[in-house]
Amino acid sequence: AHRIADSVSQPVRKLLAPAVMTDMAWLNAQGNNLHRRKMVFKTGAIAGGGTLLVAFILMLFGHEAITLIAGREFIGAYGAMVFMTIGMAINAFYFTIPSMLVTAGKVWPMTLFNLANLLLFAVYLPPLVSHFDVTGAGMAFLLRVVIISVILSFLGWPLLKKQK
């Protein structure tokens, strides 16, 4: 389930994220808030939309994908895969915000945020897995992504709302 869901995010994480980091650093150094905002929203919409389409296709043909990749005995991972691919799609919509924050000098808030989020994940992962088995791991991942996206939106909003 993780391999299939991870393949959904590969283009964003491996191709777009490194390029965005460089461009975001340049835009932040220039103080070009208008182009920074456009970049965040346009690249997020493109990456998120494309990833959401792939996630939808995997939701429709996930049983076949799991059977083809891992074998019929792993069909129980379908639920985890669905939750994880939805999480990867949500993640793709806001993948530029961490780069924007780090290149704007918000390294410590991002570090503390990531640490707190990891600790919180460690708290709710075991009960979800205990109650829902493998699907619970996918649910925990999706919950983590939702929490991250909401908090990153609040952290990034001051930089995105600047008009000048």
Side-chain angles (χ1 to χ4, degrees):
H2 183 265
R3 277 191 219 159
I4 293 171
D6 192 48
S7 68
V8 171
S9 70
Q10 286 289 340
V12 173
R13 204 178 54 231
K14 297 291 184 180
L15 300 173
L16 292 176
V20 165
M21 182 67 90
T22 305
D23 289 349
M24 196 61 73
W26 181 73
L27 290 170
N28 279 328
Q30 274 191 323
N32 194 334
N33 299 326
L34 177 64
H35 285 95
R36 176 179 55 206
R37 184 173 49 248
K38 284 182 181 178
M39 181 180 191
V40 167
F41 289 121
K42 283 183 181 179
T43 56
I46 291 168
T51 306
L52 192 60
L53 178 64
V54 173
F56 180 70
I57 291 168
L58 276 175
M59 287 169 59
L60 292 176
F61 301 105
H63 287 97
E64 291 81 7
I66 290 172
T67 302
L68 184 65
I69 293 170
R72 198 102 182 100
E73 60 274 9
F74 289 94
I75 209 73
Y78 174 77
M81 184 202 67
V82 168
F83 283 110
M84 292 178 78
T85 54
I86 292 168
M88 296 292 189
I90 293 169
N91 189 15
F93 278 102
Y94 72 86
F95 85 97
T96 55
I97 294 177
S99 298
M100 177 185 69
L101 290 167
V102 168
T103 59
K106 309 288 186 202
V107 176
W108 277 111
M110 284 299 299
T111 302
L112 292 174
F113 162 69
N114 285 327
L115 178 61
N117 190 270
L118 181 61
L119 292 174
L120 183 63
F121 181 68
V123 169
Y124 61 75
L125 176 64
L128 285 172
V129 170
S130 175
H131 189 65
F132 296 103
D133 294 321
V134 175
T135 302
M139 291 172 166
F141 178 80
L142 179 59
L143 181 59
R144 183 173 186 218
V145 168
V146 169
I147 291 169
I148 288 172
S149 65
V150 168
I151 294 173
L152 283 179
S153 296
F154 281 110
L155 289 174
W157 185 247
L159 292 172
L160 291 173
K161 74 175 186 174
K162 289 182 179 179
Q163 294 299 320
K164 190 175 179 184

